[in-house]
Amino acid sequence: MEPHYPFSLPPLPYGESDLLPEIDEKTLHFHHDKHFAAYVDNLNKLLAACPACQSWTLEQLCQYWCRLPGDLRQGIRNNAGGVYNHTLYFQGMTPTPGEGPDVALSAAIDRDLGGMSAFKSAMKTAALGVFGSGWAWLVCDREGTLSIRKTANQDTPLPLCPLLTCDVWEHAYYLQYQNRRGDYFDAWWQRVNWPMVSRLYGQCQENRPRYPQD
Ligand SMILES: [Fe+2]
């Protein structure tokens, strides 16, 4: 059963100092406990005014926001996306990144993206290319083909299957890296949770529920 209203803030999956030196405690604290928490609170407040929407899953809210009541539509779109995107973002980092993608994901990266070096380069280009606030993504389609995407604001790449995301809102890096988004990306890359990315790729291949907390 996937989660629906009322949503709760997922705990940070590691300690605030566990991603040092790449991501510092202050950044993680404000990003998770203030920004992410605000998206959860705001989404619940909006859904409290929409009983017909309260049985929708987070993925449904993100994908089908255009069917929501007009006065709530944009707010729910923004905040449901904020909850979905940040859930994957925080799970996508780890104190123990492991040795990289597993065999199946590595083969797909070689096939679709030209190898790890080209993948990192394309992901970084996407992250640096987001104008204003948004996200860079590694996604796969139902055939298992990988691609790199960008989304603006809190939009998601659904119904494509998200595997990994880099938050390039300034609140994700400004306290530590100021305007140096590229340095933040390189640091974030050192903390990518490859076991999670590999697991999600396997789940997408099996057409299982795609939400990372399923
Ligand atoms: Fe964020």
PDB file of all heavy atoms in Angstrom, residues 2 10 24 27 42 45 50 60 64 67 69 89 96 107 110 121 126 132 145 151 153 157 164 175 179 185 188 199-200:
ATOM      1  N   GLU A   2       0.697   2.061  -0.988  1.00  0.00           N
ATOM      2  CA  GLU A   2       1.499   3.273  -1.050  1.00  0.00           C
ATOM      3  C   GLU A   2       0.896   4.348  -0.150  1.00  0.00           C
ATOM      4  O   GLU A   2      -0.297   4.351   0.125  1.00  0.00           O
ATOM      5  CB  GLU A   2       1.570   3.767  -2.488  1.00  0.00           C
ATOM      6  CG  GLU A   2       2.360   2.830  -3.377  1.00  0.00           C
ATOM      7  CD  GLU A   2       2.538   3.416  -4.756  1.00  0.00           C
ATOM      8  OE1 GLU A   2       3.362   4.325  -4.892  1.00  0.00           O
ATOM      9  OE2 GLU A   2       1.840   2.975  -5.660  1.00  0.00           O
ATOM     10  N   PRO A  10       9.664  11.733   6.004  1.00  0.00           N
ATOM     11  CA  PRO A  10      10.546  10.577   6.210  1.00  0.00           C
ATOM     12  C   PRO A  10      11.786  11.020   6.981  1.00  0.00           C
ATOM     13  O   PRO A  10      12.326  12.096   6.716  1.00  0.00           O
ATOM     14  CB  PRO A  10      10.929  10.149   4.781  1.00  0.00           C
ATOM     15  CG  PRO A  10       9.975  10.857   3.873  1.00  0.00           C
ATOM     16  CD  PRO A  10       9.560  12.108   4.592  1.00  0.00           C
ATOM     17  N   ASP A  24      27.519  19.349   4.266  1.00  0.00           N
ATOM     18  CA  ASP A  24      27.731  19.609   5.691  1.00  0.00           C
ATOM     19  C   ASP A  24      26.422  19.558   6.503  1.00  0.00           C
ATOM     20  O   ASP A  24      25.320  19.495   5.944  1.00  0.00           O
ATOM     21  CB  ASP A  24      28.502  20.912   5.909  1.00  0.00           C
ATOM     22  CG  ASP A  24      27.722  22.156   5.521  1.00  0.00           C
ATOM     23  OD1 ASP A  24      26.486  22.095   5.388  1.00  0.00           O
ATOM     24  OD2 ASP A  24      28.369  23.213   5.349  1.00  0.00           O
ATOM     25  N   THR A  27      23.725  22.379   6.051  1.00  0.00           N
ATOM     26  CA  THR A  27      22.965  22.215   4.805  1.00  0.00           C
ATOM     27  C   THR A  27      21.924  21.120   4.950  1.00  0.00           C
ATOM     28  O   THR A  27      20.747  21.302   4.601  1.00  0.00           O
ATOM     29  CB  THR A  27      23.926  21.885   3.639  1.00  0.00           C
ATOM     30  OG1 THR A  27      24.850  22.962   3.474  1.00  0.00           O
ATOM     31  CG2 THR A  27      23.164  21.647   2.346  1.00  0.00           C
ATOM     32  N   ASN A  42       2.756  21.705   4.005  1.00  0.00           N
ATOM     33  CA  ASN A  42       1.911  22.444   3.059  1.00  0.00           C
ATOM     34  C   ASN A  42       1.024  21.509   2.243  1.00  0.00           C
ATOM     35  O   ASN A  42      -0.142  21.825   1.972  1.00  0.00           O
ATOM     36  CB  ASN A  42       2.784  23.294   2.129  1.00  0.00           C
ATOM     37  CG  ASN A  42       3.411  24.466   2.865  1.00  0.00           C
ATOM     38  OD1 ASN A  42       2.873  24.946   3.861  1.00  0.00           O
ATOM     39  ND2 ASN A  42       4.553  24.921   2.380  1.00  0.00           N
ATOM     40  N   LYS A  45      -1.877  20.459   4.441  1.00  0.00           N
ATOM     41  CA  LYS A  45      -2.855  21.550   4.608  1.00  0.00           C
ATOM     42  C   LYS A  45      -3.732  21.691   3.368  1.00  0.00           C
ATOM     43  O   LYS A  45      -4.947  21.878   3.463  1.00  0.00           O
ATOM     44  CB  LYS A  45      -2.115  22.872   4.874  1.00  0.00           C
ATOM     45  CG  LYS A  45      -1.560  22.972   6.290  1.00  0.00           C
ATOM     46  CD  LYS A  45      -0.754  24.257   6.468  1.00  0.00           C
ATOM     47  CE  LYS A  45      -0.053  24.255   7.825  1.00  0.00           C
ATOM     48  NZ  LYS A  45       1.016  25.278   7.906  1.00  0.00           N
ATOM     49  N   CYS A  50      -9.412  19.187   0.536  1.00  0.00           N
ATOM     50  CA  CYS A  50      -9.830  18.443  -0.657  1.00  0.00           C
ATOM     51  C   CYS A  50     -10.067  16.973  -0.297  1.00  0.00           C
ATOM     52  O   CYS A  50      -9.237  16.108  -0.604  1.00  0.00           O
ATOM     53  CB  CYS A  50      -8.749  18.551  -1.742  1.00  0.00           C
ATOM     54  SG  CYS A  50      -9.194  17.764  -3.308  1.00  0.00           S
ATOM     55  N   GLN A  60       0.237   9.617  -7.767  1.00  0.00           N
ATOM     56  CA  GLN A  60      -0.964  10.067  -8.479  1.00  0.00           C
ATOM     57  C   GLN A  60      -1.099  11.581  -8.423  1.00  0.00           C
ATOM     58  O   GLN A  60      -1.455  12.223  -9.416  1.00  0.00           O
ATOM     59  CB  GLN A  60      -2.204   9.380  -7.898  1.00  0.00           C
ATOM     60  CG  GLN A  60      -2.272   7.904  -8.242  1.00  0.00           C
ATOM     61  CD  GLN A  60      -3.370   7.175  -7.486  1.00  0.00           C
ATOM     62  OE1 GLN A  60      -3.731   7.555  -6.377  1.00  0.00           O
ATOM     63  NE2 GLN A  60      -3.879   6.109  -8.081  1.00  0.00           N
ATOM     64  N   TYR A  64      -1.159  13.419 -11.925  1.00  0.00           N
ATOM     65  CA  TYR A  64      -2.494  13.797 -12.388  1.00  0.00           C
ATOM     66  C   TYR A  64      -2.996  15.082 -11.745  1.00  0.00           C
ATOM     67  O   TYR A  64      -4.192  15.282 -11.579  1.00  0.00           O
ATOM     68  CB  TYR A  64      -3.470  12.643 -12.117  1.00  0.00           C
ATOM     69  CG  TYR A  64      -2.991  11.327 -12.679  1.00  0.00           C
ATOM     70  CD1 TYR A  64      -2.782  10.228 -11.859  1.00  0.00           C
ATOM     71  CD2 TYR A  64      -2.718  11.201 -14.044  1.00  0.00           C
ATOM     72  CE1 TYR A  64      -2.320   9.016 -12.373  1.00  0.00           C
ATOM     73  CE2 TYR A  64      -2.261  10.001 -14.568  1.00  0.00           C
ATOM     74  CZ  TYR A  64      -2.065   8.913 -13.738  1.00  0.00           C
ATOM     75  OH  TYR A  64      -1.605   7.738 -14.253  1.00  0.00           O
ATOM     76  N   ARG A  67      -5.976  17.226 -12.883  1.00  0.00           N
ATOM     77  CA  ARG A  67      -7.373  16.852 -12.615  1.00  0.00           C
ATOM     78  C   ARG A  67      -7.869  17.369 -11.261  1.00  0.00           C
ATOM     79  O   ARG A  67      -9.015  17.126 -10.895  1.00  0.00           O
ATOM     80  CB  ARG A  67      -7.507  15.318 -12.622  1.00  0.00           C
ATOM     81  CG  ARG A  67      -7.118  14.690 -13.949  1.00  0.00           C
ATOM     82  CD  ARG A  67      -7.258  13.182 -13.890  1.00  0.00           C
ATOM     83  NE  ARG A  67      -6.669  12.545 -15.047  1.00  0.00           N
ATOM     84  CZ  ARG A  67      -6.499  11.224 -15.171  1.00  0.00           C
ATOM     85  NH1 ARG A  67      -6.877  10.418 -14.193  1.00  0.00           N
ATOM     86  NH2 ARG A  67      -5.957  10.722 -16.260  1.00  0.00           N
ATOM     87  N   PRO A  69      -8.925  20.155  -8.225  1.00  0.00           N
ATOM     88  CA  PRO A  69      -9.710  21.403  -8.245  1.00  0.00           C
ATOM     89  C   PRO A  69      -8.815  22.596  -8.552  1.00  0.00           C
ATOM     90  O   PRO A  69      -7.686  22.682  -8.072  1.00  0.00           O
ATOM     91  CB  PRO A  69     -10.267  21.491  -6.816  1.00  0.00           C
ATOM     92  CG  PRO A  69     -10.236  20.089  -6.300  1.00  0.00           C
ATOM     93  CD  PRO A  69      -9.072  19.416  -6.968  1.00  0.00           C
ATOM     94  N   TYR A  89      15.714  12.193  -3.293  1.00  0.00           N
ATOM     95  CA  TYR A  89      17.014  12.882  -3.174  1.00  0.00           C
ATOM     96  C   TYR A  89      17.753  12.444  -1.909  1.00  0.00           C
ATOM     97  O   TYR A  89      18.935  12.088  -1.973  1.00  0.00           O
ATOM     98  CB  TYR A  89      16.789  14.392  -3.150  1.00  0.00           C
ATOM     99  CG  TYR A  89      18.031  15.195  -2.855  1.00  0.00           C
ATOM    100  CD1 TYR A  89      19.040  15.336  -3.806  1.00  0.00           C
ATOM    101  CD2 TYR A  89      18.205  15.815  -1.614  1.00  0.00           C
ATOM    102  CE1 TYR A  89      20.185  16.072  -3.531  1.00  0.00           C
ATOM    103  CE2 TYR A  89      19.344  16.558  -1.337  1.00  0.00           C
ATOM    104  CZ  TYR A  89      20.333  16.681  -2.294  1.00  0.00           C
ATOM    105  OH  TYR A  89      21.472  17.404  -2.018  1.00  0.00           O
ATOM    106  N   THR A  96      27.974   5.449   2.710  1.00  0.00           N
ATOM    107  CA  THR A  96      28.720   4.307   2.160  1.00  0.00           C
ATOM    108  C   THR A  96      28.279   4.052   0.721  1.00  0.00           C
ATOM    109  O   THR A  96      27.437   3.186   0.468  1.00  0.00           O
ATOM    110  CB  THR A  96      28.470   3.055   3.027  1.00  0.00           C
ATOM    111  OG1 THR A  96      27.047   2.865   3.149  1.00  0.00           O
ATOM    112  CG2 THR A  96      29.060   3.215   4.406  1.00  0.00           C
ATOM    113  N   ALA A 107      25.714  -2.182 -17.228  1.00  0.00           N
ATOM    114  CA  ALA A 107      25.547  -2.547 -18.639  1.00  0.00           C
ATOM    115  C   ALA A 107      24.607  -1.572 -19.337  1.00  0.00           C
ATOM    116  O   ALA A 107      24.838  -1.173 -20.485  1.00  0.00           O
ATOM    117  CB  ALA A 107      25.016  -3.977 -18.745  1.00  0.00           C
ATOM    118  N   ASP A 110      26.436   1.716 -19.905  1.00  0.00           N
ATOM    119  CA  ASP A 110      27.324   1.593 -21.074  1.00  0.00           C
ATOM    120  C   ASP A 110      26.516   1.659 -22.369  1.00  0.00           C
ATOM    121  O   ASP A 110      26.893   2.348 -23.321  1.00  0.00           O
ATOM    122  CB  ASP A 110      28.099   0.263 -21.018  1.00  0.00           C
ATOM    123  CG  ASP A 110      29.149   0.260 -19.917  1.00  0.00           C
ATOM    124  OD1 ASP A 110      29.468   1.342 -19.391  1.00  0.00           O
ATOM    125  OD2 ASP A 110      29.640  -0.834 -19.583  1.00  0.00           O
ATOM    126  N   SER A 121      29.121  13.200 -16.902  1.00  0.00           N
ATOM    127  CA  SER A 121      29.224  14.450 -17.646  1.00  0.00           C
ATOM    128  C   SER A 121      27.846  14.946 -18.097  1.00  0.00           C
ATOM    129  O   SER A 121      27.518  16.137 -17.980  1.00  0.00           O
ATOM    130  CB  SER A 121      30.143  14.232 -18.850  1.00  0.00           C
ATOM    131  OG  SER A 121      30.233  15.401 -19.616  1.00  0.00           O
ATOM    132  N   ALA A 126      23.210  18.561 -17.286  1.00  0.00           N
ATOM    133  CA  ALA A 126      21.796  18.783 -16.986  1.00  0.00           C
ATOM    134  C   ALA A 126      21.639  19.617 -15.715  1.00  0.00           C
ATOM    135  O   ALA A 126      20.854  20.570 -15.673  1.00  0.00           O
ATOM    136  CB  ALA A 126      21.077  17.439 -16.839  1.00  0.00           C
ATOM    137  N   GLY A 132      17.360  28.552 -13.031  1.00  0.00           N
ATOM    138  CA  GLY A 132      16.598  28.768 -11.810  1.00  0.00           C
ATOM    139  C   GLY A 132      16.612  27.513 -10.958  1.00  0.00           C
ATOM    140  O   GLY A 132      17.634  26.847 -10.826  1.00  0.00           O
ATOM    141  N   THR A 145      15.324   1.506 -20.858  1.00  0.00           N
ATOM    142  CA  THR A 145      16.287   2.419 -21.480  1.00  0.00           C
ATOM    143  C   THR A 145      16.512   3.634 -20.583  1.00  0.00           C
ATOM    144  O   THR A 145      15.561   4.286 -20.154  1.00  0.00           O
ATOM    145  CB  THR A 145      15.774   2.878 -22.858  1.00  0.00           C
ATOM    146  OG1 THR A 145      15.558   1.719 -23.670  1.00  0.00           O
ATOM    147  CG2 THR A 145      16.784   3.800 -23.527  1.00  0.00           C
ATOM    148  N   THR A 151      13.987  18.769 -14.724  1.00  0.00           N
ATOM    149  CA  THR A 151      12.651  19.295 -14.469  1.00  0.00           C
ATOM    150  C   THR A 151      12.782  20.630 -13.739  1.00  0.00           C
ATOM    151  O   THR A 151      13.751  20.858 -13.013  1.00  0.00           O
ATOM    152  CB  THR A 151      11.768  18.344 -13.624  1.00  0.00           C
ATOM    153  OG1 THR A 151      12.379  18.112 -12.345  1.00  0.00           O
ATOM    154  CG2 THR A 151      11.543  17.019 -14.338  1.00  0.00           C
ATOM    155  N   ASN A 153      11.301  23.684 -11.133  1.00  0.00           N
ATOM    156  CA  ASN A 153      10.542  23.852  -9.883  1.00  0.00           C
ATOM    157  C   ASN A 153      10.474  22.539  -9.126  1.00  0.00           C
ATOM    158  O   ASN A 153      11.499  21.951  -8.806  1.00  0.00           O
ATOM    159  CB  ASN A 153       9.159  24.429 -10.203  1.00  0.00           C
ATOM    160  CG  ASN A 153       9.284  25.739 -10.958  1.00  0.00           C
ATOM    161  OD1 ASN A 153      10.075  26.587 -10.568  1.00  0.00           O
ATOM    162  ND2 ASN A 153       8.560  25.904 -12.044  1.00  0.00           N
ATOM    163  N   PRO A 157       9.719  13.639 -13.166  1.00  0.00           N
ATOM    164  CA  PRO A 157       9.761  13.073 -14.515  1.00  0.00           C
ATOM    165  C   PRO A 157       8.750  11.937 -14.719  1.00  0.00           C
ATOM    166  O   PRO A 157       8.784  11.261 -15.740  1.00  0.00           O
ATOM    167  CB  PRO A 157      11.193  12.548 -14.621  1.00  0.00           C
ATOM    168  CG  PRO A 157      11.524  12.142 -13.224  1.00  0.00           C
ATOM    169  CD  PRO A 157      10.772  13.085 -12.313  1.00  0.00           C
ATOM    170  N   LEU A 164      17.496   8.343  -9.846  1.00  0.00           N
ATOM    171  CA  LEU A 164      18.458   9.168  -9.110  1.00  0.00           C
ATOM    172  C   LEU A 164      18.164  10.617  -9.438  1.00  0.00           C
ATOM    173  O   LEU A 164      17.851  10.936 -10.590  1.00  0.00           O
ATOM    174  CB  LEU A 164      19.887   8.813  -9.568  1.00  0.00           C
ATOM    175  CG  LEU A 164      21.034   9.637  -8.985  1.00  0.00           C
ATOM    176  CD1 LEU A 164      21.166   9.387  -7.477  1.00  0.00           C
ATOM    177  CD2 LEU A 164      22.346   9.296  -9.698  1.00  0.00           C
ATOM    178  N   LEU A 175      24.480  27.278   1.295  1.00  0.00           N
ATOM    179  CA  LEU A 175      25.154  27.499   2.581  1.00  0.00           C
ATOM    180  C   LEU A 175      26.604  27.041   2.538  1.00  0.00           C
ATOM    181  O   LEU A 175      27.475  27.625   3.185  1.00  0.00           O
ATOM    182  CB  LEU A 175      24.422  26.737   3.693  1.00  0.00           C
ATOM    183  CG  LEU A 175      23.072  27.290   4.141  1.00  0.00           C
ATOM    184  CD1 LEU A 175      22.411  26.329   5.128  1.00  0.00           C
ATOM    185  CD2 LEU A 175      23.252  28.663   4.792  1.00  0.00           C
ATOM    186  N   ASN A 179      27.504  30.034  -4.844  1.00  0.00           N
ATOM    187  CA  ASN A 179      27.009  29.972  -6.226  1.00  0.00           C
ATOM    188  C   ASN A 179      27.659  28.859  -7.043  1.00  0.00           C
ATOM    189  O   ASN A 179      27.372  28.721  -8.231  1.00  0.00           O
ATOM    190  CB  ASN A 179      27.266  31.316  -6.927  1.00  0.00           C
ATOM    191  CG  ASN A 179      28.745  31.634  -6.987  1.00  0.00           C
ATOM    192  OD1 ASN A 179      29.462  31.402  -6.018  1.00  0.00           O
ATOM    193  ND2 ASN A 179      29.195  32.156  -8.104  1.00  0.00           N
ATOM    194  N   PHE A 185      27.691  19.702  -7.334  1.00  0.00           N
ATOM    195  CA  PHE A 185      27.376  18.482  -8.078  1.00  0.00           C
ATOM    196  C   PHE A 185      28.495  17.448  -7.920  1.00  0.00           C
ATOM    197  O   PHE A 185      28.220  16.259  -7.662  1.00  0.00           O
ATOM    198  CB  PHE A 185      27.167  18.787  -9.573  1.00  0.00           C
ATOM    199  CG  PHE A 185      26.897  17.536 -10.355  1.00  0.00           C
ATOM    200  CD1 PHE A 185      25.592  17.078 -10.533  1.00  0.00           C
ATOM    201  CD2 PHE A 185      27.941  16.766 -10.876  1.00  0.00           C
ATOM    202  CE1 PHE A 185      25.347  15.886 -11.208  1.00  0.00           C
ATOM    203  CE2 PHE A 185      27.699  15.581 -11.557  1.00  0.00           C
ATOM    204  CZ  PHE A 185      26.400  15.142 -11.720  1.00  0.00           C
ATOM    205  N   TRP A 188      28.247  15.984  -4.474  1.00  0.00           N
ATOM    206  CA  TRP A 188      27.065  15.112  -4.391  1.00  0.00           C
ATOM    207  C   TRP A 188      27.338  13.763  -5.075  1.00  0.00           C
ATOM    208  O   TRP A 188      26.954  12.712  -4.572  1.00  0.00           O
ATOM    209  CB  TRP A 188      25.870  15.827  -5.040  1.00  0.00           C
ATOM    210  CG  TRP A 188      24.700  14.946  -5.287  1.00  0.00           C
ATOM    211  CD1 TRP A 188      23.742  14.576  -4.388  1.00  0.00           C
ATOM    212  CD2 TRP A 188      24.366  14.292  -6.520  1.00  0.00           C
ATOM    213  NE1 TRP A 188      22.834  13.734  -4.999  1.00  0.00           N
ATOM    214  CE2 TRP A 188      23.196  13.545  -6.292  1.00  0.00           C
ATOM    215  CE3 TRP A 188      24.955  14.275  -7.789  1.00  0.00           C
ATOM    216  CZ2 TRP A 188      22.603  12.778  -7.299  1.00  0.00           C
ATOM    217  CZ3 TRP A 188      24.365  13.521  -8.786  1.00  0.00           C
ATOM    218  CH2 TRP A 188      23.201  12.781  -8.535  1.00  0.00           C
ATOM    219  N   ARG A 199      18.998  -0.937  -7.220  1.00  0.00           N
ATOM    220  CA  ARG A 199      17.768  -1.621  -6.800  1.00  0.00           C
ATOM    221  C   ARG A 199      16.547  -1.041  -7.531  1.00  0.00           C
ATOM    222  O   ARG A 199      15.685  -1.796  -8.012  1.00  0.00           O
ATOM    223  CB  ARG A 199      17.587  -1.486  -5.290  1.00  0.00           C
ATOM    224  CG  ARG A 199      16.454  -2.335  -4.733  1.00  0.00           C
ATOM    225  CD  ARG A 199      16.295  -2.205  -3.235  1.00  0.00           C
ATOM    226  NE  ARG A 199      15.680  -0.940  -2.853  1.00  0.00           N
ATOM    227  CZ  ARG A 199      16.300   0.065  -2.243  1.00  0.00           C
ATOM    228  NH1 ARG A 199      17.578  -0.046  -1.926  1.00  0.00           N
ATOM    229  NH2 ARG A 199      15.670   1.173  -1.929  1.00  0.00           N
ATOM    230  N   LEU A 200      16.480   0.273  -7.607  1.00  0.00           N
ATOM    231  CA  LEU A 200      15.349   0.895  -8.304  1.00  0.00           C
ATOM    232  C   LEU A 200      15.329   0.511  -9.776  1.00  0.00           C
ATOM    233  O   LEU A 200      14.260   0.306 -10.354  1.00  0.00           O
ATOM    234  CB  LEU A 200      15.396   2.418  -8.153  1.00  0.00           C
ATOM    235  CG  LEU A 200      15.085   2.975  -6.764  1.00  0.00           C
ATOM    236  CD1 LEU A 200      15.204   4.492  -6.768  1.00  0.00           C
ATOM    237  CD2 LEU A 200      13.696   2.553  -6.304  1.00  0.00           C
TER     238      LEU A 200
END
